Amino acid sequence: FEETPAVPRMMVEEDYEVFDAAHVEHKEYIVNGEVVVGRATAVTEEHVRVASRVIKFDYLIVATGTRYPSEIKTSNTSLEFRRKQMKTERQRIQAASKVVMIGGGLVGTELAGDVRAFFPDKEIEIVTRNTKLLPRMEGAHELAVGVLGQSPGAVKVRTEETVSFELDVNENCFLTSKDETIALDGTRVYNCTGYKPNNSMLPKEWLDEEGFLRAEATQTVPGVAKRNVFAVGDICEKSR
C-alpha cells in the first residue's frame, strides 16, 4: 500500500524517511485473509477475475483509484522500482533550472510546495485553468498563496491559463491559451491534471458518464441486486 498524498514529498526527499513511512505491506494488516497479487481483469456481481483465477465474494469493496498523466501513481508493485523512480525524479528536479506544475489542484499545489521547500533556488510555476488554486476547498487558495508566495523561492501562479501538450518541435516548448510558451530546455514539467479512473475491469453499467463508479449515500453501488458492492476512494463518482 502506498499513501498517495505523500508522493510529492517522496519525489524531493533524499533520505527516504517519508518513502518508508508511506509504504505498508498488505500482509502486515491482512491477518485473517489472503493477499492476491495480480491485475484484476473482470468484476461481476459474484466474483473478481485475476488472470485465470476466479475469486468469489460475499462483499466487495472497489478501491481501484485513479491515475495521472505524470507518474504520480504507479501500477508497478515493486518497492524497489518505486524507490528508484522517486530517486530519478529527485535527480531530474535537481538538474532542472525551472519546475512547472500544470494544474493547481491538490497534487500540483502540494508538489510545488515540496519542491520549493527542498530546492528554494529553483524557479517554480503553477499553471491552472481556474481562477485560483484548490478551487474545491473554500479558503484554501489564500492559505496556499500565503505560503507559496513567501520569499525567497516564491512560486509564480498563472491562473486562467491552459496548456496544449502538443510539442512545438521547432521551439521545443508547449503553448498556452494566452499565447505564451513553456520552454522545455532545462525545465521539468509535471502534468497534474486530468486524473482518470481505473475502471477497465468494471461493468460499464456501474459507471457514470465520466467513467467513475456510481455510489449511493451508503457507498453501495446502485443496480447490484444483493447490494453487496461498495465504492471507496478516488474511483467513486465525484459527488461522493
Side-chain angles (χ1 to χ4, degrees):
F1 169 79
E2 178 177 89
E3 184 185 4
T4 302
V7 172
R9 179 57 61 93
M10 287 158 45
M11 294 168 69
V12 297
E13 70 166 355
E14 190 172 13
D15 57 10
Y16 298 106
E17 181 179 351
V18 173
F19 182 95
D20 292 336
H23 290 90
V24 180
E25 291 195 48
H26 294 300
K27 66 182 181 181
E28 293 185 21
Y29 59 88
I30 303 294
V31 293
N32 293 315
E34 178 187 3
V35 177
V36 178
V37 179
R39 185 178 295 274
T41 56
V43 175
T44 73
E45 294 189 19
E46 298 180 345
H47 68 261
V48 176
R49 179 176 292 277
V50 180
S52 61
R53 181 175 177 181
V54 173
I55 304 172
K56 294 185 177 182
F57 59 80
D58 295 315
Y59 294 92
L60 177 67
I61 297 174
V62 181
T64 52
T66 55
R67 62 190 184 277
Y68 285 86
S70 293
E71 295 179 344
I72 304 298
K73 297 183 179 181
T74 181
S75 59
N76 192 301
T77 58
S78 166
L79 271 180
E80 188 57 32
F81 170 86
R82 192 60 163 159
R83 188 185 295 270
K84 289 179 179 178
Q85 191 178 43
M86 294 297 100
K87 180 180 179 180
T88 298
E89 286 305 325
R90 187 181 194 282
Q91 291 171 339
R92 288 170 173 167
I93 293 172
Q94 192 170 30
S97 56
K98 181 178 181 179
V99 183
V100 179
M101 269 58 66
I102 311 299
L106 285 169
V107 175
T109 303
E110 177 66 26
L111 183 55
D114 284 330
V115 173
R116 177 183 178 275
F118 281 76
F119 300 97
D121 59 323
K122 300 294 179 189
E123 183 181 355
I124 305 170
E125 289 185 359
I126 299 176
V127 183
T128 176
R129 67 178 180 178
N130 296 299
T131 59
K132 57 184 180 179
L133 300 177
L134 306 167
R136 295 182 183 178
M137 303 170 65
E138 186 175 351
H141 171 81
E142 291 74 18
L143 291 173
V145 170
V147 174
L148 297 177
Q150 295 177 6
S151 296
V155 175
K156 180 180 179 181
V157 179
R158 297 162 55 172
T159 59
E160 298 181 271
E161 191 170 6
T162 59
V163 176
S164 168
F165 286 99
E166 293 184 9
L167 179 64
D168 185 330
V169 293
N170 294 319
E171 300 294 336
N172 194 29
C173 66
F174 291 136
L175 301 178
T176 80
S177 58
K178 293 185 177 180
D179 292 327
E180 296 190 17
T181 62
I182 298 176
L184 299 183
D185 289 334
T187 301
R188 183 64 177 157
V189 178
Y190 291 99
N191 184 354
C192 304
T193 67
Y195 63 91
K196 298 183 182 300
N198 296 321
N199 61 11
S200 62
M201 74 297 293
L202 300 174
K204 286 184 170 51
E205 60 269 24
W206 291 6
L207 308 176
D208 68 10
E209 60 278 1
E210 294 184 89
F212 291 88
L213 193 56
R214 293 183 291 121
E216 298 173 343
T218 55
Q219 299 305 122
T220 50
V221 175
V224 178
K226 294 182 180 180
R227 298 185 61 78
N228 60 342
V229 178
F230 298 84
V232 176
D234 288 355
I235 188 62
C236 292
E237 58 181 312
K238 293 178 181 179
S239 63
R240 296 297 179 198

mmCIF file of all heavy atoms in Angstrom, residues 215-238:
data_model
loop_
_atom_site.group_PDB
_atom_site.id
_atom_site.type_symbol
_atom_site.label_atom_id
_atom_site.label_comp_id
_atom_site.label_asym_id
_atom_site.label_seq_id
_atom_site.Cartn_x
_atom_site.Cartn_y
_atom_site.Cartn_z
ATOM 1 N N ALA A 215 -22.194 5.668 -6.783
ATOM 2 C CA ALA A 215 -22.341 5.251 -5.393
ATOM 3 C C ALA A 215 -23.483 6.009 -4.738
ATOM 4 O O ALA A 215 -23.703 7.189 -5.006
ATOM 5 C CB ALA A 215 -21.047 5.498 -4.616
ATOM 6 N N GLU A 216 -24.198 5.307 -3.863
ATOM 7 C CA GLU A 216 -25.272 5.923 -3.098
ATOM 8 C C GLU A 216 -24.705 6.516 -1.811
ATOM 9 O O GLU A 216 -23.493 6.457 -1.568
ATOM 10 C CB GLU A 216 -26.346 4.872 -2.805
ATOM 11 C CG GLU A 216 -26.980 4.301 -4.073
ATOM 12 C CD GLU A 216 -27.923 3.145 -3.805
ATOM 13 O OE1 GLU A 216 -27.852 2.566 -2.695
ATOM 14 O OE2 GLU A 216 -28.724 2.816 -4.699
ATOM 15 N N ALA A 217 -25.580 7.059 -0.979
ATOM 16 C CA ALA A 217 -25.126 7.690 0.266
ATOM 17 C C ALA A 217 -24.415 6.705 1.188
ATOM 18 O O ALA A 217 -23.561 7.084 1.995
ATOM 19 C CB ALA A 217 -26.313 8.333 0.982
ATOM 20 N N THR A 218 -24.765 5.431 1.077
ATOM 21 C CA THR A 218 -24.118 4.383 1.887
ATOM 22 C C THR A 218 -22.896 3.794 1.204
ATOM 23 O O THR A 218 -22.336 2.809 1.680
ATOM 24 C CB THR A 218 -25.121 3.259 2.174
ATOM 25 O OG1 THR A 218 -25.639 2.781 0.915
ATOM 26 C CG2 THR A 218 -26.263 3.762 3.062
ATOM 27 N N GLN A 219 -22.490 4.390 0.054
ATOM 28 C CA GLN A 219 -21.374 3.942 -0.780
ATOM 29 C C GLN A 219 -21.642 2.633 -1.498
ATOM 30 O O GLN A 219 -20.743 2.059 -2.103
ATOM 31 C CB GLN A 219 -20.075 3.822 0.051
ATOM 32 C CG GLN A 219 -19.600 5.117 0.677
ATOM 33 C CD GLN A 219 -19.411 6.233 -0.336
ATOM 34 O OE1 GLN A 219 -20.016 7.286 -0.226
ATOM 35 N NE2 GLN A 219 -18.570 5.992 -1.327
ATOM 36 N N THR A 220 -22.873 2.136 -1.436
ATOM 37 C CA THR A 220 -23.220 0.950 -2.209
ATOM 38 C C THR A 220 -23.365 1.342 -3.679
ATOM 39 O O THR A 220 -23.803 2.447 -4.011
ATOM 40 C CB THR A 220 -24.538 0.328 -1.718
ATOM 41 O OG1 THR A 220 -25.539 1.354 -1.644
ATOM 42 C CG2 THR A 220 -24.376 -0.313 -0.360
ATOM 43 N N VAL A 221 -22.989 0.413 -4.546
ATOM 44 C CA VAL A 221 -23.101 0.651 -5.989
ATOM 45 C C VAL A 221 -24.526 0.342 -6.416
ATOM 46 O O VAL A 221 -24.998 -0.785 -6.230
ATOM 47 C CB VAL A 221 -22.096 -0.224 -6.766
ATOM 48 C CG1 VAL A 221 -22.292 -0.056 -8.272
ATOM 49 C CG2 VAL A 221 -20.664 0.139 -6.374
ATOM 50 N N PRO A 222 -25.259 1.312 -6.978
ATOM 51 C CA PRO A 222 -26.658 1.068 -7.361
ATOM 52 C C PRO A 222 -26.760 0.069 -8.504
ATOM 53 O O PRO A 222 -25.884 -0.025 -9.357
ATOM 54 C CB PRO A 222 -27.141 2.456 -7.797
ATOM 55 C CG PRO A 222 -25.910 3.195 -8.185
ATOM 56 C CD PRO A 222 -24.835 2.689 -7.290
ATOM 57 N N GLY A 223 -27.841 -0.698 -8.480
ATOM 58 C CA GLY A 223 -28.077 -1.656 -9.550
ATOM 59 C C GLY A 223 -27.574 -3.051 -9.258
ATOM 60 O O GLY A 223 -27.883 -3.986 -9.997
ATOM 61 N N VAL A 224 -26.802 -3.222 -8.184
ATOM 62 C CA VAL A 224 -26.325 -4.548 -7.797
ATOM 63 C C VAL A 224 -27.400 -5.209 -6.939
ATOM 64 O O VAL A 224 -27.775 -4.677 -5.886
ATOM 65 C CB VAL A 224 -24.995 -4.466 -7.021
ATOM 66 C CG1 VAL A 224 -24.549 -5.857 -6.576
ATOM 67 C CG2 VAL A 224 -23.923 -3.819 -7.885
ATOM 68 N N ALA A 225 -27.892 -6.346 -7.374
ATOM 69 C CA ALA A 225 -29.061 -6.972 -6.752
ATOM 70 C C ALA A 225 -28.884 -7.237 -5.257
ATOM 71 O O ALA A 225 -29.772 -6.946 -4.449
ATOM 72 C CB ALA A 225 -29.390 -8.267 -7.487
ATOM 73 N N LYS A 226 -27.740 -7.768 -4.882
ATOM 74 C CA LYS A 226 -27.520 -8.117 -3.472
ATOM 75 C C LYS A 226 -27.070 -6.924 -2.628
ATOM 76 O O LYS A 226 -26.913 -7.048 -1.414
ATOM 77 C CB LYS A 226 -26.473 -9.233 -3.375
ATOM 78 C CG LYS A 226 -26.921 -10.560 -3.959
ATOM 79 C CD LYS A 226 -25.839 -11.618 -3.774
ATOM 80 C CE LYS A 226 -26.271 -12.946 -4.350
ATOM 81 N NZ LYS A 226 -25.204 -13.992 -4.171
ATOM 82 N N ARG A 227 -26.838 -5.769 -3.261
ATOM 83 C CA ARG A 227 -26.380 -4.555 -2.555
ATOM 84 C C ARG A 227 -25.147 -4.851 -1.698
ATOM 85 O O ARG A 227 -25.021 -4.391 -0.569
ATOM 86 C CB ARG A 227 -27.503 -3.955 -1.707
ATOM 87 C CG ARG A 227 -28.696 -3.517 -2.534
ATOM 88 C CD ARG A 227 -29.749 -2.813 -1.700
ATOM 89 N NE ARG A 227 -29.235 -1.614 -1.068
ATOM 90 C CZ ARG A 227 -29.056 -0.446 -1.674
ATOM 91 N NH1 ARG A 227 -29.336 -0.330 -2.971
ATOM 92 N NH2 ARG A 227 -28.600 0.594 -1.028
ATOM 93 N N ASN A 228 -24.230 -5.615 -2.265
ATOM 94 C CA ASN A 228 -23.042 -6.040 -1.524
ATOM 95 C C ASN A 228 -21.743 -5.539 -2.158
ATOM 96 O O ASN A 228 -20.664 -6.028 -1.846
ATOM 97 C CB ASN A 228 -23.003 -7.562 -1.411
ATOM 98 C CG ASN A 228 -22.952 -8.252 -2.778
ATOM 99 O OD1 ASN A 228 -23.274 -7.652 -3.796
ATOM 100 N ND2 ASN A 228 -22.527 -9.508 -2.783
ATOM 101 N N VAL A 229 -21.852 -4.564 -3.071
ATOM 102 C CA VAL A 229 -20.667 -3.981 -3.701
ATOM 103 C C VAL A 229 -20.587 -2.519 -3.300
ATOM 104 O O VAL A 229 -21.566 -1.765 -3.424
ATOM 105 C CB VAL A 229 -20.720 -4.102 -5.237
ATOM 106 C CG1 VAL A 229 -19.493 -3.450 -5.872
ATOM 107 C CG2 VAL A 229 -20.800 -5.573 -5.645
ATOM 108 N N PHE A 230 -19.418 -2.099 -2.805
ATOM 109 C CA PHE A 230 -19.239 -0.754 -2.272
ATOM 110 C C PHE A 230 -18.097 -0.043 -3.003
ATOM 111 O O PHE A 230 -17.101 -0.661 -3.381
ATOM 112 C CB PHE A 230 -18.927 -0.818 -0.770
ATOM 113 C CG PHE A 230 -20.023 -1.439 0.049
ATOM 114 C CD1 PHE A 230 -20.107 -2.819 0.188
ATOM 115 C CD2 PHE A 230 -20.979 -0.651 0.669
ATOM 116 C CE1 PHE A 230 -21.121 -3.409 0.932
ATOM 117 C CE2 PHE A 230 -21.998 -1.228 1.416
ATOM 118 C CZ PHE A 230 -22.073 -2.607 1.557
ATOM 119 N N ALA A 231 -18.255 1.255 -3.179
ATOM 120 C CA ALA A 231 -17.237 2.079 -3.827
ATOM 121 C C ALA A 231 -16.529 2.935 -2.784
ATOM 122 O O ALA A 231 -17.172 3.571 -1.947
ATOM 123 C CB ALA A 231 -17.887 2.975 -4.886
ATOM 124 N N VAL A 232 -15.192 2.972 -2.850
ATOM 125 C CA VAL A 232 -14.396 3.703 -1.864
ATOM 126 C C VAL A 232 -13.259 4.433 -2.568
ATOM 127 O O VAL A 232 -12.623 3.898 -3.480
ATOM 128 C CB VAL A 232 -13.804 2.739 -0.802
ATOM 129 C CG1 VAL A 232 -12.891 3.489 0.156
ATOM 130 C CG2 VAL A 232 -14.916 2.057 -0.020
ATOM 131 N N GLY A 233 -12.999 5.663 -2.159
ATOM 132 C CA GLY A 233 -11.825 6.385 -2.646
ATOM 133 C C GLY A 233 -12.044 7.103 -3.964
ATOM 134 O O GLY A 233 -13.170 7.426 -4.358
ATOM 135 N N ASP A 234 -10.952 7.342 -4.692
ATOM 136 C CA ASP A 234 -10.971 8.153 -5.906
ATOM 137 C C ASP A 234 -11.818 7.570 -7.034
ATOM 138 O O ASP A 234 -12.226 8.291 -7.946
ATOM 139 C CB ASP A 234 -9.546 8.350 -6.443
ATOM 140 C CG ASP A 234 -8.732 9.287 -5.578
ATOM 141 O OD1 ASP A 234 -9.291 9.854 -4.634
ATOM 142 O OD2 ASP A 234 -7.526 9.453 -5.860
ATOM 143 N N ILE A 235 -12.077 6.264 -7.007
ATOM 144 C CA ILE A 235 -12.876 5.660 -8.068
ATOM 145 C C ILE A 235 -14.334 6.072 -7.974
ATOM 146 O O ILE A 235 -15.076 5.989 -8.959
ATOM 147 C CB ILE A 235 -12.751 4.114 -8.029
ATOM 148 C CG1 ILE A 235 -13.417 3.461 -9.251
ATOM 149 C CG2 ILE A 235 -13.349 3.557 -6.742
ATOM 150 C CD1 ILE A 235 -12.831 3.834 -10.581
ATOM 151 N N CYS A 236 -14.762 6.577 -6.816
ATOM 152 C CA CYS A 236 -16.158 6.998 -6.635
ATOM 153 C C CYS A 236 -16.496 8.181 -7.521
ATOM 154 O O CYS A 236 -15.638 9.020 -7.814
ATOM 155 C CB CYS A 236 -16.409 7.418 -5.185
ATOM 156 S SG CYS A 236 -16.325 6.081 -4.005
ATOM 157 N N GLU A 237 -17.759 8.277 -7.914
ATOM 158 C CA GLU A 237 -18.215 9.452 -8.622
ATOM 159 C C GLU A 237 -17.886 10.694 -7.777
ATOM 160 O O GLU A 237 -17.851 10.637 -6.546
ATOM 161 C CB GLU A 237 -19.703 9.378 -8.895
ATOM 162 C CG GLU A 237 -20.578 9.230 -7.658
ATOM 163 C CD GLU A 237 -22.050 9.130 -8.021
ATOM 164 O OE1 GLU A 237 -22.521 9.965 -8.817
ATOM 165 O OE2 GLU A 237 -22.725 8.216 -7.509
ATOM 166 N N LYS A 238 -17.620 11.820 -8.431
ATOM 167 C CA LYS A 238 -17.041 12.966 -7.769
ATOM 168 C C LYS A 238 -17.907 13.545 -6.656
ATOM 169 O O LYS A 238 -17.398 14.140 -5.704
ATOM 170 C CB LYS A 238 -16.712 14.038 -8.810
ATOM 171 C CG LYS A 238 -15.594 13.605 -9.752
ATOM 172 C CD LYS A 238 -15.284 14.636 -10.811
ATOM 173 C CE LYS A 238 -14.182 14.148 -11.730
ATOM 174 N NZ LYS A 238 -13.854 15.105 -12.801
#
